[in-house]
Amino acid sequence: MLSPNSDQSNALPTHVAIIMDGNGRWAKKRFMPRLEGHRQGAKSVRRAVEFCRKNGVKFLTLYAFSTENWQRPESEVSGLMKLLSQFIDSEIDEIHKNDIRFNIVGETKQLPAFVKNKIERALAKTSENQTMVLTVALSYGGRQEIISAALKVHQALLSGCLKKEDINERVFSSYLNTVDLPDPDLLIRTGGEIRISNFLLWQLAYTELYFTDVLWPDFDENSFWQAIEEFRSRQRRYGKISEQIQSKS
Ligand code: FPP
């Protein structure tokens, strides 16, 4: 098994974002209903949060439900909503005890009232926590987020709160849902597909991408370390050349 000490030459990522894919296939392989795959997926969520907390990854952002996922069969959508609400019920005390701030990005207005209520309480309870931020992307779409930010910028220009010449990347970012999060250093997608699926389109501009065939319910500590080791082996150049990066370090 890979361990945190096998290579300390590069830092751990500060912010890891995950597209948790493969729950349905995990269940299908076992002749189980898809919801059982999501239930096992929720256990992997608990493991991933614990991994980040133990190893000092300060920000973990999980893609739990996209704007496109509303098109799934009604029974799956309602099953996922119940699962989210159960997850908050069963985990929020532990999350709070571990000084983790619970955070949500996405169009939460569309969520059923019982989920919204749970979310509001979880946000309030953990709002002062400092050690880590767990963000769940719910009813989230990257393009929708950018359009909504552009509309807010437009409004700010009209009202005089913002001047055209003051708009730059940093200012535009402050109108996104992720205003208080740094951009992800590492994006992990499980389940074998090689695409971004409308996740954090603006924020992933310089993120290292890691794709694995492991299905999300099987994604364990060892799988997480493999992703981290791959991240550590890469050189992040942000458009510069290797020599400029080496001379700086
Ligand atoms: C994608 O797998 C997964 C989802 C759309 C839902 C993710 C939800 C969870 C992991 C459980 C609850 C989440 C939290 C935060 C408690 P898929 O269904 O598309 O899998 P498939 O591609 O194999 O069909």
Side-chain angles (χ1 to χ4, degrees):
M1 179 165 154
L2 294 164
S3 80
N5 300 318
S6 53
D7 177 9
Q8 295 288 1
S9 59
N10 289 313
L12 279 168
T14 301
H15 183 175
V16 176
I18 307 183
I19 302 178
M20 310 180 286
D21 197 11
N23 294 347
R25 275 163 289 159
W26 185 94
K28 197 171 176 196
K29 275 201 328 201
R30 289 162 179 79
F31 306 101
M32 290 172 169
R34 289 179 57 83
L35 264 178
E36 189 51 36
H38 294 314
R39 254 179 234 119
Q40 294 301 320
K43 292 187 187 164
S44 281
V45 168
R46 194 173 311 134
R47 269 203 305 265
V49 175
E50 183 56 11
F51 178 93
C52 291
R53 187 189 70 78
K54 264 189 1 209
N55 294 295
V57 174
K58 294 271 294 174
F59 299 87
L60 174 66
T61 300
L62 302 172
Y63 203 8
F65 195 86
S66 70
T67 42
E68 291 73 27
N69 287 152
W70 289 112
Q71 295 162 39
R72 291 197 175 193
E74 209 278 318
S75 57
E76 182 163 342
V77 171
S78 63
L80 274 168
M81 293 299 145
K82 277 193 206 122
L83 202 55
L84 280 160
S85 140
Q86 285 163 3
F87 178 85
I88 296 176
D89 280 342
S90 63
E91 300 302 315
I92 202 64
D93 286 345
E94 184 73 8
I95 287 175
H96 186 48
K97 194 184 91 198
N98 287 324
D99 198 34
I100 299 171
R101 178 160 72 83
F102 183 74
N103 183 38
I104 292 282
V105 291
E107 292 296 322
T108 47
K109 276 188 278 195
Q110 289 188 48
L111 298 170
F114 74 97
V115 181
K116 274 195 284 200
N117 293 341
K118 294 265 164 71
I119 288 174
E120 268 158 33
R121 267 182 273 150
L123 294 176
K125 183 174 177 126
T126 64
S127 65
E128 304 292 319
N129 294 349
Q130 300 285 334
T131 300
M132 188 185 145
V133 181
L134 167 63
T135 301
V136 178
L138 261 185
S139 189
Y140 174 87
R143 287 185 173 179
Q144 292 84 340
E145 183 190 26
I146 292 170
I147 290 175
S148 143
L151 291 171
K152 287 181 205 157
V153 167
H154 173 71
Q155 204 50 51
L157 287 169
L158 286 181
S159 68
C161 298
L162 183 66
K163 290 203 234 64
K164 194 171 144 211
E165 54 276 23
D166 291 336
I167 298 176
N168 55 33
E169 289 183 15
R170 189 184 51 76
V171 169
F172 190 84
S173 298
S174 71
Y175 288 86
L176 296 168
N177 284 178
T178 49
V179 51
D180 47 359
L181 307 177
D183 287 346
D185 303 294
L186 170 64
L187 171 80
I188 298 171
R189 180 174 187 144
T190 63
E193 311 288 357
I194 317 285
R195 54 175 172 261
I196 300 299
S197 299
N198 205 14
F199 190 40
L200 301 176
L201 295 182
W202 171 280
Q203 298 85 342
L204 294 178
Y206 286 101
T207 300
E208 294 297 328
L209 309 181
Y210 176 84
F211 299 95
T212 171
D213 289 337
V214 174
L215 303 175
W216 177 247
D218 293 327
F219 192 82
D220 60 11
E221 221 184 68
N222 196 29
S223 326
F224 213 143
W225 272 120
Q226 282 180 29
I228 300 276
E229 292 296 320
E230 169 71 27
F231 169 81
R232 285 167 144 180
S233 73
R234 297 196 194 163
Q235 188 186 49
R236 304 182 78 194
R237 293 196 291 277
Y238 300 98
K240 297 180 182 163
I241 65 168
S242 303
E243 287 74 9
Q244 291 173 297
I245 306 295
Q246 275 151 13
S247 68
K248 204 177 159 211
S249 63

